[in-house]
Amino acid sequence: MKNAVNRDIPEYINGKKVKLFQGAFATQPDMHRQAPIVKCAKPGESKLMDSLEEVFRKIPIRNGMTLGFHHHFRNGDGVLNQVLEVASKMGIKDLTIAASAIFSVHAPLLQHIKDGVVTHIDTNYAVGPVAKAISQGLLKNPVIFRTHGGRARAIECGDLHIDVAFIAAPAADEYGNLNGIKGETACGSLGYAFPDAEYADVVVAVTDHIEPYPLAPIAISQERVDYVVKIDYIGDPEGIVSGTTKITKDPVQLKIASYAAKVIEASGVLKDGFSFQTGAGGASLAVAHYLSKIMKEKNIKGSFVMGGITEYLVKMYEEGLFKCIMDVQDFDLDAVRSLKENEGHLEVGAGLYASPYNSGCIVNKLDCAVLGATEIDKQFNVNVITGSDGVIMGGSGGHSDAAAGASLTIITTNLVRSRLAVLKDRVQTITTPGESIDVLVTESGVAVNTKREDLIDKFKNSGIPVMSIDEMAALAEQICGKAMAVDTEDRVVGVVEYRDGTVIDVIRKVKSN
């Protein structure tokens, strides 16, 4: 079957009939929110457990269950591996792992897949050995890739039912109040765990730091937590730093960032009340750097900034350039410090951040989102999930969510990377549809989606080097030659869901050399 972005999609996947992507806002909700099991805690009952093994026996965890995990420790996470090790020792099989992201630190998951402990994975992002093995067909069933907002929607609407949620909590009290800003392993916002806490049948807080009751402040409250278990190690907060969180010094990247800032200024969205989302990479922070200069020169005061919260975005807030930080995840320890200290630094959940199926998520209020791309095509469709070799190396995260919500969505990327053209006739995997993208900024110039003729007019006489997407693609081909197609098999190893639950693309098994 063909969907709205002309991708061939199987009619059935994992035995279920597929809902085809029809457009960014074409599919409307026709369901109700789900409700977790109603419980009763009597006075004097203790939630404290001595070990993860005791938790498994108490619940009890059985074959075929779905276990939920969050990724606020990113590549420093210590909980998922320990939970699965217990499952393996207890002989539990056929588990679904609903982890909001999978990193290199989760390499032990490979053995659990081989042993049949884990047979399904549902995630928003995957890198490292597990991602590579999935691409090569290790997992029997296709991985479901969702957006951050799409995962919250799926949990709330019952598409993703979590039997037991394990929440890594840097601080907890004995009755289950949790936060991420206290304790030696403070990682900041716990926003991606909010839907798990709200809707899972059973919620287990896993902590290395218990404070006297009541813990303050409360990020996740006692009314949603069933058990508290203290272990020696829940994660390394240094692992929340992903790549560089410093402004790039690469002259090509700085040129791209400068163009992007000029695009924002010329577009007309940069005025008092301006709201902005950007990533945590060096190029994205360079855009924020140039933007802050313009805001200071013009005395512009923004409303809120969000994204992967870093020291640089905190600095913009503390300099008075923005009224608030909306924080669903922190990317360095200064962001953790700010969440603890600053009144206007607000912790928000994944549903509030980006779910398309509520009465209004934060991304709907974005004036501008600056996002990256692994590949982009002449229809402005973006790939951030597979590399040029077809191997999984990422995921949408909040990419599709922010692109759909923002008034101005900008993709910043090198036109050529590692002697390969980023701009192609056809991307390997569509993560974000071109209808949500307004402008592509590269070192060679700026291309505007033809649906935004208003921007083309605004960029005239602005000094922005505008060219058509076809001209830019021809330049890329001239430099790199015609891109070779990735050799894949028919077998589907990954399903790429759009934020509304429809299938925008599939990932097929890469052929072995």
Side-chain angles (χ1 to χ4, degrees):
M1 303 186 295
K2 295 276 190 182
N3 63 12
V5 287
N6 201 34
R7 291 294 167 127
D8 289 312
I9 309 296
E11 186 175 0
Y12 289 88
I13 298 176
N14 283 346
K16 296 181 180 179
K17 188 171 177 60
V18 169
K19 294 180 180 179
L20 293 177
F21 173 73
Q22 300 293 342
F25 298 100
T27 302
Q28 297 301 309
D30 59 358
M31 72 285 287
H32 291 83
R33 284 193 178 88
Q34 302 299 298
I37 296 169
V38 176
K39 303 158 188 170
C40 175
K42 296 177 182 177
E45 290 181 344
S46 175
K47 295 183 180 182
L48 291 173
M49 297 284 111
D50 290 332
S51 65
L52 287 170
E53 289 86 350
E54 184 181 5
V55 169
F56 268 65
R57 289 190 291 268
K58 181 77 172 179
I59 291 174
I61 293 177
R62 301 182 299 272
N63 292 348
M65 280 188 164
T66 296
L67 310 184
F69 302 88
H70 65 87
H71 70 286
H72 293 102
F73 280 98
R74 296 176 64 79
N75 202 39
D77 175 54
V79 169
L80 187 150
N81 290 340
Q82 292 183 75
V83 169
L84 290 184
E85 183 62 28
V86 172
S88 177
K89 288 179 179 178
M90 297 182 73
I92 296 170
K93 303 287 186 179
D94 195 28
L95 293 174
T96 295
I97 299 307
S100 53
I102 293 171
F103 292 90
S104 295
V105 72
H106 298 129
L109 182 54
L110 295 174
Q111 190 60 49
H112 298 307
I113 293 171
K114 293 173 184 176
D115 293 342
V117 177
V118 174
T119 54
H120 295 79
I121 295 176
D122 195 301
T123 191
N124 308 347
Y125 181 93
V127 292
V130 176
K132 183 177 180 180
I134 291 167
S135 303
Q136 296 170 339
L138 176 66
L139 194 66
K140 179 174 66 174
N141 302 289
V143 175
I144 306 299
F145 283 93
R146 307 184 193 269
T147 73
H148 285 329
R151 182 178 188 270
R153 172 208 55 79
I155 292 171
E156 292 173 4
C157 297
D159 291 345
L160 174 57
H161 178 83
I162 296 177
D163 294 298
V164 185
F166 289 89
I167 298 178
D173 64 31
E174 52 88 17
Y175 213 47
N177 295 301
L178 317 177
N179 72 42
I181 60 173
K182 289 188 173 181
E184 293 183 0
T185 56
C187 65
S189 174
L190 300 179
Y192 288 126
F194 285 13
D196 303 60
E198 188 73 14
Y199 292 95
D201 285 349
V202 181
V203 177
V204 180
V206 186
T207 187
D208 58 2
H209 177 78
I210 294 181
E211 293 208 347
Y213 181 89
L215 175 72
I218 295 171
I220 293 172
S221 75
Q222 63 192 45
E223 63 188 319
R224 295 301 183 192
V225 177
D226 300 289
Y227 303 107
V228 179
V229 57
K230 186 176 184 292
I231 62 176
D232 293 335
Y233 177 79
I234 64 168
D236 179 3
E238 294 287 347
I240 69 177
V241 179
S242 178
T244 178
T245 55
K246 303 295 183 183
I247 296 172
T248 182
K249 295 181 180 179
D250 179 353
V252 173
Q253 292 280 297
L254 289 172
K255 185 178 182 181
I256 294 169
S258 176
Y259 285 161
K262 290 177 181 177
V263 164
I264 297 169
E265 181 181 18
S267 71
V269 300
L270 189 58
K271 54 191 176 184
D272 283 340
F274 173 69
S275 55
F276 179 56
Q277 173 169 333
T278 190
S284 297
L285 295 181
V287 176
H289 171 71
Y290 287 120
L291 198 60
S292 67
K293 285 187 174 182
I294 298 171
M295 293 177 72
K296 289 174 183 176
E297 289 170 1
K298 296 192 171 184
N299 196 31
I300 293 171
K301 304 296 182 184
S303 57
F304 71 89
V305 63
M306 70 180 313
I309 304 304
T310 62
E311 177 184 5
Y312 198 82
L313 297 186
V314 169
K315 180 181 177 183
M316 294 178 77
Y317 162 78
E318 291 181 340
E319 289 178 344
L321 296 180
F322 288 96
K323 179 182 177 182
C324 290
I325 298 174
M326 300 287 207
D327 185 359
V328 72
Q329 183 182 28
D330 296 305
F331 278 72
D332 63 32
L333 299 183
D334 197 62
V336 178
R337 186 272 309 167
S338 174
L339 180 60
K340 185 176 182 179
E341 295 178 0
N342 285 317
E343 182 181 3
H345 191 152
L346 309 177
E347 184 172 10
V348 300
L352 174 57
Y353 164 46
S355 172
Y357 286 0
N358 57 33
S359 295
C361 54
I362 294 170
V363 296
N364 290 354
K365 299 295 287 181
L366 280 172
D367 289 312
C368 179
V370 177
L371 307 169
T374 304
E375 300 175 322
I376 186 168
D377 66 25
K378 291 191 288 187
Q379 288 72 49
F380 288 83
N381 298 309
V382 176
N383 174 19
V384 291
I385 193 168
T386 53
S388 58
D389 56 0
V391 174
I392 297 164
M393 43 71 69
S396 179
H399 197 285
S400 298
D401 299 313
S407 299
L408 174 67
T409 301
I410 300 171
I411 299 297
T412 58
T413 181
N414 292 50
L415 182 62
V416 176
R417 186 185 298 127
S418 300
R419 293 178 290 181
L420 296 173
V422 174
L423 176 54
K424 302 183 174 183
D425 289 336
R426 176 184 170 91
V427 295
Q428 178 67 22
T429 309
I430 297 179
T431 314
T432 299
E435 66 179 285
S436 297
I437 308 302
D438 300 302
V439 181
L440 168 62
V441 179
T442 73
E443 72 276 20
S444 298
V446 172
V448 180
N449 196 323
T450 53
K451 71 183 180 68
R452 292 300 307 268
E453 290 184 2
D454 60 314
L455 292 177
I456 296 173
D457 291 338
K458 288 176 180 178
F459 294 165
K460 289 177 181 177
N461 304 317
S462 65
I464 297 171
V466 177
M467 58 199 308
S468 73
I469 194 75
D470 289 326
E471 290 171 334
M472 194 177 284
L475 177 59
E477 186 173 329
Q478 180 183 338
I479 297 170
C480 302
K482 196 76 173 176
M484 298 286 290
V486 176
D487 202 8
T488 60
E489 300 178 6
D490 289 338
R491 180 184 165 193
V492 174
V493 297
V495 179
V496 184
E497 276 197 3
Y498 191 61
R499 58 202 297 258
D500 59 7
T502 59
V503 176
I504 193 168
D505 211 343
V506 294
I507 303 167
R508 301 185 187 276
K509 180 179 181 291
V510 293
K511 285 189 176 180
S512 302
N513 294 330

